[in-house]
Amino acid sequence: PEVDENVRGFWGDFDDAMRAEAKQLGKQNFFIFGEGFDGNDQLLGAYTFGGDDAQGHFNRFDSMFYFSQYYEGITTVFGDTSGTAPPTKNLECLYNSRTGRNPTDAWCQSQGFWTGPDFSDTPAASPADGGVGLAPQQLLVSFLDNHDVARFMFGKTDPNDLYAAMMYIYTWDGVPCMYYGTEQGFHGGVDPANREDMFRGNPDWGYPARDTTNPTFKWAQALIQMRKDHIALRQGTVSPLWSTQVAGPRRDAGIFAFERAVSGGETADVILNASDQQSESCAPATEGGACMHTAFPPGTVLEDVMPNSDGQTFTVQADGTLDVTVGPRSGRVLV
């Protein structure tokens, strides 16, 4: 079902015309993204590649709503409430497909993930030319729910499920997108139940209309501030460090860890736990007991800056490994 790269079509004309208009008006960083309501990573990514025809070169979108991540990552990893701690490797496989990283990963291929790259690694235009100057691979719009699907909290009762998922989209790369009412804990089903009235608040959770004092709003606010405070969480490259391939309770159940680094600047290690147990970034003894490796030099002391941090610090061991314990449905950002 892929889009033929060299067939211009409507979007090939429209997107370039919009960038030309933005340039004429003196607008910079004009961001154009599209919505393909489909979980097919290749289909979504096809709308980000430019092409060539008899009229010359043309471009398409700077980004897309990341629906493939919604179906293969958000709902299956963070949205799982079965207690089986699903494999977080799905998140790494999505990244591999998006960028073409690790095309020989047998587990990802066995689960039906494409080798990629599914999304373009070339910016459509520079900021001065009515574009954003960044490649679509870096700009996918991450969301937990929207007007087309049930609310993330639909059928759930523990706010920590939501809080863990929010940690992911505000520390992972791309553009985090929060649907209105998520900060109020709205939990309606499919359309139209997912379009709750903000003026009525959330009586099920005891939140009045447009409440700015409830824990969910405060958590969203704190994550946004953390992202603002740490450039690595906004602009850093991504390197997956740890993920699980096996479901069920084990030492590293639900752990997904990655490193974000800005050349010549800040580096941050993010360790998330999508399970309902306390987990850590080391394998079970039956699998060698090895721990997560980091790019930080041995002896580096890292501080947890997650908003709900307990103030704990972690030291990189002599072999470059890092053993990090993370509470249920929680996470750490180490800098």
Side-chain angles (χ1 to χ4, degrees):
E2 299 87 59
V3 174
D4 189 326
E5 185 174 306
N6 293 313
V7 174
R8 181 179 295 263
F10 174 79
W11 296 118
D13 280 330
F14 179 82
D15 289 344
D16 277 352
M18 290 299 293
R19 292 187 183 98
E21 180 68 11
K23 179 180 180 179
Q24 182 178 346
L25 295 173
K27 291 183 177 293
Q28 303 236 344
N29 294 316
F30 189 70
F31 183 49
I32 307 175
F33 68 98
E35 177 183 4
F37 193 175
D38 199 292
N40 186 322
D41 208 52
Q42 282 189 307
L43 176 60
L44 298 180
Y47 287 100
T48 67
F49 285 91
D52 297 277
D53 62 9
Q55 300 177 56
H57 184 73
F58 59 89
N59 292 293
R60 293 190 177 92
F61 292 102
D62 298 310
S63 176
M64 297 288 288
F65 269 120
Y66 205 0
F67 263 100
S68 48
Q69 178 180 258
Y70 169 77
Y71 287 115
E72 297 293 340
I74 300 302
T75 61
T76 60
V77 176
F78 294 100
D80 181 84
T81 57
S82 66
T84 59
T88 59
K89 180 79 170 181
N90 279 23
L91 302 172
E92 182 177 348
C93 292
L94 279 163
Y95 182 69
N96 291 349
S97 294
R98 187 206 321 171
T99 63
R101 171 185 176 269
N102 200 6
T104 60
D105 192 310
W107 192 89
C108 292
Q109 292 182 28
S110 72
Q111 301 302 304
F113 290 93
W114 299 96
T115 56
D118 290 346
F119 292 82
S120 173
D121 63 355
T122 303
S126 68
D129 289 327
V132 292
L134 295 173
Q137 286 182 3
Q138 303 170 267
L139 291 172
L140 294 182
V141 179
S142 294
F143 62 96
L144 305 182
D145 47 28
N146 66 16
H147 59 283
D148 287 322
V149 298
R151 293 277 185 176
F152 179 86
M153 284 303 295
F154 178 61
K156 302 180 181 67
T157 57
D158 186 354
N160 289 311
D161 297 343
L162 174 61
Y163 298 168
M166 289 167 65
M167 290 181 204
Y168 174 69
I169 66 168
Y170 281 106
T171 56
W172 191 233
D173 72 335
V175 182
C177 178
M178 184 183 293
Y179 183 40
Y180 90 94
T182 296
E183 78 289 352
Q184 303 298 327
F186 284 0
H187 49 276
V190 296
D191 189 6
N194 57 0
R195 306 189 185 211
E196 297 97 322
D197 190 338
M198 285 287 282
F199 293 97
R200 295 181 179 179
N202 183 349
D204 292 338
W205 287 20
Y207 297 172
R210 303 177 302 282
D211 184 32
T212 60
T213 63
N214 70 70
T216 307
F217 182 94
K218 289 294 187 182
W219 183 240
Q221 191 176 50
L223 289 174
I224 292 169
Q225 187 60 54
M226 178 182 68
R227 187 178 173 92
K228 289 180 177 179
D229 291 341
H230 296 280
I231 191 172
L233 300 180
R234 303 192 310 275
Q235 300 179 16
T237 57
V238 174
S239 300
L241 300 176
W242 195 269
S243 62
T244 62
Q245 299 179 13
V246 180
R250 42 185 269 146
R251 188 176 175 183
D252 64 342
I255 291 292
F256 181 59
F258 52 93
E259 196 159 76
R260 302 205 59 183
V262 176
S263 179
E266 184 183 54
T267 297
D269 281 1
V270 180
I271 305 95
L272 304 177
N273 180 9
S275 78
D276 294 326
Q277 69 168 46
Q278 180 168 287
S279 297
E280 60 180 298
S281 59
C282 294
T286 55
E287 296 184 19
C291 294
M292 177 184 80
H293 279 263
T294 175
F296 285 106
T300 303
V301 177
L302 301 174
E303 178 188 1
D304 183 6
V305 298
M306 189 68 84
N308 63 351
S309 168
D310 54 11
Q312 192 169 351
T313 59
F314 298 85
T315 302
V316 181
Q317 300 304 302
D319 61 355
T321 60
L322 196 59
D323 184 357
V324 181
T325 301
V326 186
R329 299 282 178 174
S330 188
R332 298 186 185 277
V333 175
L334 307 183
V335 297

